[in-house]
Amino acid sequence: YIWIAGGHFVVGTEQAPFLHKATITLHGDRWWTIELPHIGSKMIAVTNLGGLHGGCHTEALRHSGAGGDYCHVRSVGKLDLHGRPGISWTRLVETAAAGVMLVRVEEAVDWPVGVRVVVTRSRREDADEIRRVAALHDGGFVVELEEPLQAEHLGEWYSHPSLEGRT
């Protein structure tokens, strides 16, 4: 695991994104690796200084003042990951039938040819499909895949009168 206890873990910033490849690999398995309670063994945890049971939620660190309870936090944990700007994921705007190689997406993408994309499953019995981008069309709103999809992937949208936009 990686535990950021009151420190900062930074890979790029909003002003200066990290434009290279960063790989974070968490090793272990669920049977033999020591787990942190309520978190597990393969995780990135961010906590304030004091760990899982420290920080403002601990009664020992709270003090009664004129304005009620307050907490003196010595150091707040922070995780900042800023990579290449752009659209990293989007939604299908229409159902992609099995066998198609062109999918229409909600936002214009600028994905490079050859990059791998995941088309997530629509049904429990189906599997996510990993494909490579062959080309972009219609200003990035249509993605051409190198291989056809094996299953249907739903691109249905539903609206509810009490909510703005599509849900």
Side-chain angles (χ1 to χ4, degrees), residues 21-165:
K21 182 177 181 179
T23 302
I24 299 171
T25 304
L26 302 172
H27 295 278
D29 67 38
R30 64 182 296 190
W31 304 111
W32 301 105
T33 304
I34 296 172
E35 294 186 356
L36 293 176
H38 310 291
I39 293 180
S41 60
K42 286 187 177 183
M43 56 78 190
I44 298 176
V46 181
T47 63
N48 293 338
L49 189 62
L52 297 175
H53 297 291
C56 291
H57 60 278
T58 303
E59 285 298 323
L61 292 179
R62 291 187 183 182
H63 305 282
S64 183
D69 288 346
Y70 65 92
C71 175
H72 295 287
V73 176
R74 293 180 296 183
S75 183
V76 176
K78 186 175 182 182
L79 172 66
D80 272 323
L81 303 174
H82 294 273
R84 180 178 161 272
I87 304 296
S88 60
W89 69 277
T90 187
R91 295 180 174 141
L92 298 177
V93 294
E94 61 188 27
T95 297
V100 303
M101 293 175 63
L102 297 174
V103 294
R104 186 169 298 279
V105 294
E106 180 183 29
E107 301 167 276
V109 297
D110 62 352
W111 300 334
V113 169
V115 73
R116 291 184 306 166
V117 296
V118 177
V119 183
T120 57
R121 65 185 179 178
S122 295
R123 293 175 193 82
R124 179 176 287 168
E125 62 271 10
D126 292 336
D128 296 341
E129 298 190 55
I130 300 173
R131 297 290 182 270
R132 290 194 182 273
V133 173
L136 297 176
H137 306 284
D138 192 20
F141 286 98
V142 175
V143 179
E144 182 178 344
L145 306 172
E146 286 184 354
E147 298 176 35
L149 294 171
Q150 296 298 310
E152 177 182 63
H153 295 270
L154 301 178
E156 298 178 7
W157 295 85
Y158 299 95
S159 296
H160 191 277
S162 65
L163 300 173
E164 290 185 33

